[in-house]
Amino acid sequence: MTGVLIVGGSIAGVRTAEGLRRLSYEGGITILEAGPDLPYDRPALSKQLLAAGESAESVMLRSQADLDKAGIELRRGCRAVGLDVEARTVRLADGALIDYSDLVIATGSAPRKLPAAHGVHYLRTLRDALDLRDAIEGPVRVVVVGAGFIGSEVAAAATARSASVTVVEPYAFPLGRVLGDLVGKRLARLHESKGVQLILGRSVREVGADGAGGRRVVLDDGTTLDCDVVVVGIGATPRTGWLAGSGLDVADGVGCDEFCHASAPHVFAAGDVARWPNALFAEVMRIEHWTNAVEQAGVVAWNIVHPDKPRAYAPVPYVWSDQYGSRLQIVGRPRADDEVRIVLDDPADGSLVALYVRDRRLAGAFALNAPSQTLQLRRALAARAPLDEIMATIGVEY
Amino acid sequence: MKLFIEVEKCCGFGECIALAPDLFRMGEDNRARLIGAGTVDQADEERARTAAFACPAEAIGVEE
Ligand SMILES: Cc1cc2nc3c(=O)[nH]c(=O)nc-3n(C[C@H](O)[C@H](O)[C@H](O)COP(=O)(O)OP(=O)(O)OC[C@H]3O[C@@H](n4cnc5c(N)ncnc54)[C@H](O)[C@@H]3O)c2cc1C
Ligand code: SF4
């Protein structure tokens, strides 16, 4: 086969394929996808599907007919197990070799596993979400391990479905490791106001059976929590196992240059699996967010079609999360050790905007129920506008 | 050509508004809205399509 071979048939892979067609690429496009499903909306799994109880059909992104029409061949249930960058071939589980003129690695990430935990749920795939939804039906007791985005969304969804929820988080506050204590405290209040019990500053030693058909969670201080369902959301790791021995740099995801070009000719990476230097922030990044996968796929498609005038990938990172009817948004690269300036805090509608300042520049921002400010800050970050200009236009300084 | 937004999908990223501020605006509920009825003049069609494709949440639809 000559043409573009894409490994991973989720958002980064599918968007790369469609981006190629939009740029009038006429060669063959094949996507290898290990899973059984057509591409679906992953963020919706912990939102619409789990919280709002929508159907599996409603989270599907493309039909077979859509792919056919675009001339994209998606091979489901087809796992790549090896790559030879000299011969330019990808090996499948059955030993078959597929060659490529350009390769796009879009294998995403997989949930980090909690050691010594048995009978717990993770949330990554459609199957995971449907299983979890069945498990949290009715007045069950749920323990969520990790108060990151996924843990927090699961806690919110389970609460909305009348489960009683306890969240265990090793850090002092939800998302505190990234956003610091000021914002973390606010998020803790958001959970607690909905009746969720937070156990902060504690980690889980093991999860086993409670002897009565349920689960028993043992914390590092010996406390035990008996419950019906345990959900673990403690981060993700890039899926690069299949690239072992390829010679590619896969230290933390697939190492790329600013054009998303990996360390071998005609090999690119996009989405959760890609690590690259973002010139806008002068920082090497690997971003596990939906919008990043979409934007990066667009740049990879461009750079495949236009190798003579490649585009550097230098986005403003963005992530949103919906919890308890509130919308959280993060733009840029906030860090817990930045100087945090609150520029909006309205108890009436629960809106909050926090700016993260580093070296006298805006590094990032967190917003709760404040979409127009987020838009404005995203633009300011893209332009790397000076801090006083941003402070003057965003509102009151205090 | 006509645009529509599946409002519940919108993630508030604002890409549509950045690309076509004359066609999209941000609603009070953190979700994007169309300005007007969503009918697009011929001259603006390509821009509208670009905005729809750029939407990471795939919330913007196009009826030809
Ligand atoms: C429950 C949940 C909620 C989320 N919510 C948000 C949110 O609100 N906002 C946000 O910005 N982000 C969110 N994310 C993160 C977002 O979904 C990811 O950033 C995004 O899916 C990354 O897309 P991707 O295509 O790079 O990788 P993935 O979506 O991980 O897809 C990788 C694909 O590659 C396939 N694959 C892996 N290895 C192989 C192989 N060897 N051969 C063939 N195929 C392979 C996998 O089966 C998978 O389909 C959420 C994630 C989850 C799990
Ligand atoms: S681009 Fe899409 S997700 Fe972003 S604001 Fe517009 S409609 Fe919403």
Side-chain angles (χ1 to χ4, degrees):
Chain A
M1 183 200 96
T2 45
V4 177
L5 180 64
I6 299 170
V7 185
S10 179
I11 188 70
V14 169
R15 281 295 198 130
T16 304
E18 291 175 342
L20 287 165
R21 289 293 181 235
R22 277 181 69 83
L23 294 167
S24 308
Y25 177 80
E26 286 174 356
I29 303 178
T30 305
I31 305 179
L32 308 179
E33 166 55 45
D37 302 304
L38 285 163
Y40 53 85
D41 189 351
R42 230 179 266 289
L45 297 181
S46 51
K47 302 178 183 68
Q48 288 87 328
L49 193 91
L50 208 56
E54 283 183 19
S55 68
E57 292 75 56
S58 73
V59 304
M60 302 314 292
L61 289 178
R62 298 290 181 278
S63 66
Q64 187 58 51
D66 293 333
L67 297 170
D68 291 345
K69 197 169 145 214
I72 297 166
E73 187 195 350
L74 172 66
R75 296 212 215 157
R76 290 184 264 162
C78 191
R79 180 179 297 276
V81 297
L83 166 65
D84 183 336
V85 298
E86 300 294 330
R88 285 207 218 166
T89 52
V90 165
R91 189 160 37 87
L92 304 184
D94 65 4
L97 297 176
I98 304 185
D99 54 20
Y100 58 83
S101 40
D102 289 281
L103 175 71
V104 181
I105 299 171
T107 42
S109 55
R112 184 170 291 135
K113 295 284 194 279
L114 182 68
H118 305 283
V120 300
H121 288 260
Y122 294 91
L123 180 53
R124 184 78 203 174
T125 65
L126 180 56
R127 184 75 259 156
D128 294 341
L130 293 170
D131 287 348
L132 181 58
R133 187 167 77 180
D134 286 345
I136 60 173
E137 196 60 61
V140 291
R141 299 160 303 166
V142 178
V143 171
V144 176
V145 184
F149 286 112
I150 290 183
S152 297
E153 289 189 357
V154 168
T159 304
R161 298 174 73 84
S162 77
S164 65
V165 180
T166 304
V167 178
V168 183
E169 161 63 43
Y171 198 82
F173 297 105
L175 289 172
R177 211 156 28 86
V178 188
L179 295 173
D181 291 357
L182 201 88
V183 168
K185 236 177 248 176
R186 181 63 173 257
L187 294 176
R189 261 194 278 145
L190 184 62
H191 285 285
E192 286 168 344
S193 70
K194 306 289 171 169
V196 169
Q197 194 200 346
L198 292 179
I199 301 180
L200 300 167
R202 291 264 80 94
S203 52
V204 171
R205 192 193 293 159
E206 61 177 25
V207 181
D210 69 353
R215 303 274 93 206
R216 172 163 296 166
V217 180
V218 184
L219 306 186
D220 53 358
D221 64 350
T223 311
T224 58
L225 305 169
D226 288 351
C227 61
D228 305 297
V229 179
V230 179
V231 190
V232 178
I234 54 169
T237 48
R239 279 217 261 207
T240 52
W242 69 281
L243 296 167
S246 66
L248 289 184
D249 161 17
V250 289
D252 168 34
V254 178
C256 296
D257 64 13
E258 69 269 40
F259 306 110
C260 310
H261 203 268
S263 54
H266 299 282
V267 180
F268 297 82
D272 281 14
V273 80
R275 164 170 51 87
W276 87 106
N278 183 338
L280 190 60
F281 289 80
E283 189 187 328
V284 175
M285 299 185 175
R286 191 175 66 74
I287 296 182
E288 293 173 354
H289 298 319
W290 188 260
T291 45
N292 176 66
V294 171
E295 290 188 287
Q296 198 163 21
V299 170
V300 166
W302 175 273
N303 291 348
I304 290 173
V305 175
H306 298 288
D308 46 322
K309 39 176 181 175
R311 286 187 184 158
Y313 182 51
V316 176
Y318 172 80
V319 60
W320 82 102
S321 176
D322 295 328
Q323 300 170 22
Y324 310 105
S326 282
R327 170 149 289 184
L328 286 66
Q329 293 172 297
I330 300 174
V331 287
R333 293 294 269 183
R335 270 196 337 227
D337 59 353
D338 291 335
E339 178 203 336
V340 179
R341 297 194 195 177
I342 305 292
V343 291
L344 172 75
D345 189 356
D346 185 349
D349 63 356
S351 58
L352 176 80
V353 176
L355 306 191
Y356 289 73
V357 177
R358 199 181 310 153
D359 306 329
R360 300 235 13 101
R361 297 187 79 174
L362 183 68
F366 169 84
L368 191 61
N369 298 324
S372 53
Q373 282 87 347
T374 308
L375 276 184
Q376 193 186 338
L377 289 165
R378 191 183 155 219
R379 278 188 209 128
L381 281 163
R384 291 314 250 154
L387 186 60
D388 2 324
E389 189 185 307
I390 299 170
M391 293 302 291
T393 48
I394 193 80
V396 247
E397 181 172 359
Y398 60 89
Chain B
M1 184 180 114
K2 207 169 150 53
L3 290 170
F4 59 93
I5 299 184
E6 290 176 74
V7 174
E8 65 290 350
K9 280 192 183 174
C10 167
C11 75
F13 189 50
E15 199 59 25
C16 56
I17 300 163
L19 290 168
D22 51 328
L23 299 175
F24 302 91
R25 63 176 176 85
M26 189 55 77
E28 283 299 313
D29 59 351
N30 306 322
R31 314 293 201 260
R33 291 290 189 287
L34 293 168
I35 295 174
T39 314
V40 180
D41 294 342
Q42 203 143 31
D44 294 329
E45 283 190 358
E46 197 42 45
R47 224 156 39 86
R49 265 190 215 103
T50 304
F53 186 71
C55 171
E58 317 231 326
I60 304 172
V62 176
E63 257 166 41
E64 298 293 335

